Amino acid sequence: MKTNLWSLARFLRHDDLSLPPHGCLLEAQRVSFAYNGRPVLRDVNLRVCPGQMVGVIGPNGAGKSTLIKILSRLLHPDEGRVSLGGQDLSHWGHAQLARHLAVVPQGAQLPETFTAWEVVLMGRTPYLGLLGSETPADMAVARRAMEETNTWHLASRFIGQLSGGERQRVVMARALAQEPRVLLLDEPTLHLDISHQLEILSLVRRFVDEQDLAVLAIFHDLNLAAQFCHELILLSQGRVFAQGRPEEVITASNIAAVYEAKVTILPHPRNGRPTVLPN
Amino acid sequence: MSHESANGRISESANHATPDTLQASRITPAPYWSRRRYLALLLGALALSVTVALGTAWGSLAIPPTTVTRMLLGRLPWMTISPDWPATWETVLFQVRLPRVVLAGLVGAALALAGAVYQGLFRNPLADPYLIGVSSGAGLGATLAIYFTVQVTWAGLGAISIFAFFGALLATAVIYALARVGGKTPITTLLLAGVALGAFLSSITTYLMLSGKDAFHTFHVVSWMMGSLALANWQQVRVLTPYLLLGLTIILVNARPLNVLQLDEEQAQQLGLNVERIKLALVVAASLITASAVAVSGIIGFVGLIVPHAVRLVWGPDHRFLLPMTTLVGAIFLILADGLARTLLSPSELPVGVITAFCGAPFFLYLLRRKKQAIF
């Protein structure tokens, strides 16, 4: 009974996202941005739709992290617009935006003396009012997010006692506790070993497939990007160099042009996705 | 767009998958508010009342504690206790000791609370209430009032208090404005601007102090800077209380956001906080209570630095508990320190800052050694 009341409360305060005609939640149109006159992004167009995982690849300094900051409104584009659910990002209130869009930043700083549980509960911040403290429903969501990310057993541990991979999963749990429709990930597998890389990405992919989450993720590893994404965007010096299905984007000529590296591209023996091998 | 596929997905599936998530609040580890914490706050409030009674009984004129208790209780509106004590006791207790004890409590609470806020806001364990200009601004204000022997009174406060109060607020406002870059106020810039402007103002203070026309001015400035509660009266209590209550309210409302700010500011914003507004509210509230405390008592060091740390060491970093508990402990600590300051060398007085440093530092080091894990 109590749960039903809480769902009702959630339903009443719920500000739903409407889908624009093209069916995509997050859209950047002709976005340009410069740091102190130095152009970082030039004329970037992209769309992320529900149930779609979009990967952003490109060499260091191509503007990948800046793109995430613009998409999450930490920075404002000099030209062009970013819209969520068809509405310009600037129309959204702080908390309202965070209820729909969550970010897993690169190498997120976490306070060492807080417990993993406390950090994941911070994901409920956009749902709490002034003076708000977490309701049992909020705690249930946070717990579920920890179980999904395989961090529930770490709940009472201090952040200072966790390994890099465990921290990354805690940040992931915090983002899921926001119950977002759109998730932005900045190199979610950085510094993780292969088993944790696959674990995190499979988890994200499962949310994409089963719950229609819209994901945009930055990748350093081209093979992982090709394996997990529906669509890839190859950035070069702030411009979109190529955009499309992994086999269209990850080609020997594209990699040679953007990364200045000679590679051989082979189809994955099991699923035919492109895999990158050094020459 | 159906509601099932929108927010609330995780909780709905959770309820189907594991029924025990409904009792999440009971079985989750380390919840923010446990019964033990409520009890600790209650005990803290009780300890504060006992400390007030103790501090009032404490002094060169020996009044038995039982009589003090009866005298204090007799003032409560619903109590009827016929006085069987001399009228002089009445004067000593209610016009000399009690206002001083209450003022010490208010000042201690204000400084400790502001210290906790600044330490949290700057994510820096060395932060104290005087970090961004309050002490240097108040110091210059007070020095100006003394140097030019300004004769104004307002709301029963003298020129030194008024000048110190507005000097502190003005310095903080200037620092905040200086640190503002493109609509944002980065914490590091704020810190550096505070240090720089503080040094600048202090140099003026020192110049004025040393170029004073007579030694009395210099002595007056120096003794004010060391902080004292010797001139306490009820009027100061009346002036300080509303500012403290206002500041306390603003700060407690922002206690949970302050927790989230322990992540970096970008993450806090991505979690839905209006970071700039929260920072401004906290800085305004903390400077306001510090400035009003400094105005009536001068610059009392160490309270705002060690009390929040001590509370954090014992009870952890959650600001929703840390801030109210720090307020109580700060009040208790300064009442006791001031009690020592006025009795140790009786009939002359020690500056209370000497006591706060002498007792506070070793206690703090003891806590630090006892709990070897990271505290901040």
Side-chain angles (χ1 to χ4, degrees):
Chain A
M1 180 61 204
K2 200 173 176 191
T3 334
N4 291 338
L5 277 179
W6 281 115
S7 339
L8 182 66
R10 188 184 307 279
F11 169 74
L12 287 177
R13 77 182 161 185
H14 177 66
D15 35 3
D16 204 357
L17 274 174
S18 59
L19 278 182
H22 52 69
C24 294
L25 279 172
L26 187 66
E27 184 177 29
Q29 288 165 293
R30 308 189 63 93
V31 165
S32 296
F33 181 80
Y35 268 125
N36 303 322
R38 189 175 56 85
V40 182
L41 289 176
R42 285 181 272 198
D43 204 19
V44 172
N45 292 291
L46 63 86
R47 281 177 180 172
V48 191
C49 312
Q52 192 193 21
M53 182 151 172
V54 175
V56 179
I57 53 177
N60 296 331
K64 303 187 297 287
S65 291
T66 307
L67 180 63
I68 287 221
K69 287 187 180 179
I70 285 177
L71 294 178
S72 63
R73 211 175 60 180
L74 287 180
L75 297 172
H76 300 278
D78 298 330
E79 286 169 49
R81 68 187 283 255
V82 179
S83 52
L84 178 71
Q87 279 203 310
D88 201 285
L89 267 199
S90 54
H91 288 310
W92 295 89
H94 282 87
Q96 204 186 13
L97 182 64
R99 288 197 284 268
H100 298 305
L101 187 145
V103 183
V104 175
Q106 192 185 123
Q109 289 244 324
L110 299 177
E112 308 240 313
T113 51
F114 281 72
T115 60
W117 169 244
E118 288 168 333
V119 168
V120 175
L121 264 185
M122 287 181 185
R124 300 304 294 167
T125 303
Y127 294 91
L128 309 175
L130 201 69
L131 272 182
S133 56
E134 300 86 355
T135 63
D138 290 314
M139 298 200 187
V141 175
R143 174 173 178 170
R144 180 73 182 159
M146 293 192 87
E147 286 168 347
E148 294 278 4
T149 50
N150 192 17
T151 50
W152 177 241
H153 63 289
L154 306 172
S156 57
R157 300 258 290 271
F158 290 102
I159 295 295
Q161 303 168 332
L162 301 184
S163 72
E166 288 167 338
R167 284 181 204 211
Q168 186 68 12
R169 272 147 56 209
V170 166
V171 177
M172 192 78 177
R174 191 187 73 198
L176 291 178
Q178 284 174 257
E179 297 181 280
R181 310 276 323 272
V182 181
L183 181 63
L184 307 179
L185 305 151
D186 192 347
E187 300 210 22
T189 57
L190 195 74
H191 305 314
L192 298 188
D193 56 40
I194 184 75
S195 71
H196 285 125
Q197 288 180 344
L198 296 179
E199 188 181 332
I200 290 261
L201 291 175
S202 311
L203 168 75
V204 172
R205 187 57 201 260
R206 192 156 55 76
F207 270 82
V208 171
D209 294 338
E210 292 173 7
Q211 316 215 335
D212 269 350
L213 192 66
V215 171
L216 179 134
I218 292 177
F219 282 91
H220 218 73
D221 186 317
L222 300 176
N223 289 326
L224 287 176
Q227 282 300 315
F228 283 93
C229 296
H230 297 101
E231 189 187 317
L232 290 182
I233 297 171
L234 175 58
L235 281 185
S236 172
Q237 299 180 346
R239 288 184 195 280
V240 176
F241 187 87
Q243 191 163 7
R245 286 182 296 133
E247 53 271 31
E248 297 165 350
V249 174
I250 298 189
T251 62
S253 62
N254 280 348
I255 302 301
V258 173
Y259 286 87
E260 291 170 10
K262 289 204 167 67
V263 297
T264 303
I265 310 289
L266 288 178
H268 190 282
R270 282 182 191 274
N271 54 32
R273 302 261 181 154
T275 45
V276 180
L277 299 170
N279 261 4
Chain B
M1 175 101 304
S2 73
H3 296 289
E4 284 76 14
S5 64
N7 295 339
R9 280 164 295 159
I10 296 181
S11 59
E12 280 161 24
S13 50
N15 295 343
H16 294 305
T18 46
D20 63 339
T21 46
L22 292 182
Q23 275 97 54
S25 60
R26 197 162 50 77
I27 49 177
T28 43
Y32 276 118
W33 286 101
S34 61
R35 214 171 290 157
R36 256 175 45 214
R37 289 187 165 184
Y38 280 116
L39 197 66
L41 275 183
L42 199 69
L43 286 178
L46 204 67
L48 179 58
S49 335
V50 173
T51 313
V52 169
L54 255 173
T56 319
W58 191 359
S60 42
L61 172 66
I63 308 176
T66 47
T67 317
V68 170
T69 312
R70 282 172 56 230
M71 288 167 81
L72 289 175
L73 288 177
R75 283 295 173 110
L76 295 176
W78 62 88
M79 301 290 267
T80 43
I81 295 174
S82 53
D84 53 359
W85 50 77
T88 45
W89 288 18
E90 191 93 5
T91 316
V92 166
L93 204 71
F94 290 107
Q95 297 310 317
V96 181
R97 282 193 201 162
L98 194 58
R100 182 163 181 167
V101 165
V102 171
L103 194 71
L106 291 177
V107 168
L111 293 178
L113 180 62
V117 168
Y118 280 136
Q119 284 167 9
L121 204 54
F122 290 99
R123 277 175 277 140
N124 187 329
L126 290 176
D128 77 350
Y130 308 127
L131 191 68
I132 52 170
V134 171
S135 60
S136 48
L140 182 58
T143 309
L144 285 173
I146 295 167
Y147 188 81
F148 296 108
T149 43
V150 182
Q151 300 288 343
V152 285
T153 54
W154 178 66
L157 293 182
I160 298 177
S161 290
I162 298 168
F163 271 57
F165 180 73
F166 287 106
L169 288 186
L170 197 66
T172 308
V174 168
I175 287 168
Y176 206 84
L178 281 176
R180 210 162 167 75
V181 187
K184 291 193 173 182
T185 316
I187 285 296
T188 336
T189 325
L190 195 58
L191 248 167
L192 292 174
V195 172
L197 193 81
F200 177 73
L201 295 181
S202 300
S203 70
I204 301 178
T205 306
T206 310
Y207 174 80
L208 286 178
M209 206 168 77
L210 295 178
S211 66
K213 288 175 286 283
D214 56 61
F216 175 71
H217 282 170
T218 311
F219 172 75
H220 201 156
V221 171
V222 170
S223 60
W224 184 86
M225 295 268 220
M226 290 170 84
S228 168
L229 293 154
L231 300 172
N233 59 48
W234 283 118
Q235 184 55 30
Q236 292 178 328
V237 171
R238 272 193 287 274
V239 173
L240 181 57
T241 308
Y243 287 117
L244 186 57
L245 286 180
L246 178 68
L248 183 69
T249 310
I250 297 176
I251 289 169
L252 287 185
V253 164
N254 283 298
R256 189 178 188 282
L258 196 52
N259 280 345
V260 181
L261 274 178
Q262 301 311 298
L263 310 163
D264 54 45
E265 288 183 25
E266 293 191 345
Q267 290 182 68
Q269 193 180 327
Q270 287 164 341
L271 286 169
L273 292 185
N274 188 342
V275 172
E276 289 302 319
R277 200 185 62 197
I278 290 163
K279 265 193 311 196
L280 183 63
L282 285 172
V283 167
V284 166
S287 326
L288 193 67
I289 60 175
T290 313
S292 43
V294 166
V296 297
S297 65
I299 296 162
I300 299 173
F302 236 72
V303 183
L305 181 68
I306 62 154
V307 172
H309 277 308
V311 174
R312 197 179 283 116
L313 272 166
V314 178
W315 286 286
D318 181 358
H319 287 88
R320 285 179 289 185
F321 178 82
L322 177 67
L323 296 175
M325 196 62 183
T326 299
T327 310
L328 291 174
V329 175
I332 294 172
F333 179 64
L334 199 61
I335 291 173
L336 295 178
D338 185 56
L340 284 175
R342 61 191 156 90
T343 50
L344 265 186
L345 291 183
S346 183
S348 68
E349 281 208 15
L350 275 170
V352 67
V354 172
I355 305 290
T356 54
F358 187 80
C359 303
F363 174 67
F364 181 61
L365 289 174
Y366 159 73
L367 284 177
L368 208 60
R369 295 289 302 169
R370 201 181 56 124
K371 198 156 183 170
K372 294 221 172 88
Q373 75 195 48
I375 60 156
F376 203 84

